[in-house]
Structures are given as structure tokens and as C-alpha cells.
Amino acid sequence: MSKAAKLTFAGSCAFAAGTIWFVHKTQEWERESMYQGVVRDQERKAQRAQNVREFGETRALHAELIKQQPDVQQNGRSG
């Protein structure tokens, strides 16, 4: 085997190994990125549940405060 053939073969092997490594790492990066999307969705879902709960509490408090206030229109508020 000539020296040029050996160098060509070695270069081809190195290129193939580099390509395989790059594709493998790209898949790992994409998998991690997709998993982070799932984590963000779970955080958004938990935040939404908390917001809905707080909104319900605020509505209940608002209704209670409305009941406690005297009727402004009947107590002589002029406008």
C-alpha cells in the first residue's frame, strides 16, 4: 500500500469518526433542548394553577368586601 493510499484511508476514517461524533453530540443537545421544553411547560402549568387559585381567592375577597360596604348610591352620594 502506498503512502498516499494510507493517508487517504486515515483521513477518511478520521472524517467518518468526526462526523459520527458530531451527529451523536447534536442528538444529545436536541434531546436536552426538548427536555427543557417539557420542564418549562410543567412550570407554566404550575404557575397557571397558582394564578387560577389566587384569582378565585381574590374574587371571593372582592365579593366579601362588596357585602361589607354600605350601598353608596342609597347613602347620598351625589354625582
Side-chain angles (χ1 to χ4, degrees):
M1 212 173 183
S2 69
K3 188 173 184 176
K6 289 179 186 178
L7 286 175
T8 302
F9 180 69
S12 297
C13 288
F15 180 74
T19 302
I20 291 170
W21 176 84
F22 178 75
V23 168
H24 178 68
K25 285 298 179 184
T26 301
Q27 287 176 342
E28 286 182 359
W29 295 328
E30 287 177 353
R31 190 176 305 117
E32 180 64 25
S33 175
M34 289 190 319
Y35 178 71
Q36 290 303 319
V38 171
V39 169
R40 283 191 303 270
D41 287 346
Q42 290 172 344
E43 290 171 357
R44 270 191 227 115
K45 189 175 182 180
Q47 182 64 42
R48 177 167 167 70
Q50 181 181 355
N51 290 348
V52 168
R53 191 172 38 254
E54 288 176 0
F55 179 70
E57 292 171 1
T58 303
R59 270 182 97 174
L61 179 61
H62 180 262
E64 175 121 4
L65 291 174
I66 292 296
K67 287 178 187 177
Q68 291 176 2
Q69 286 184 350
D71 191 3
V72 176
Q73 291 177 353
Q74 290 179 0
N75 287 337
R77 181 177 179 208
S78 59

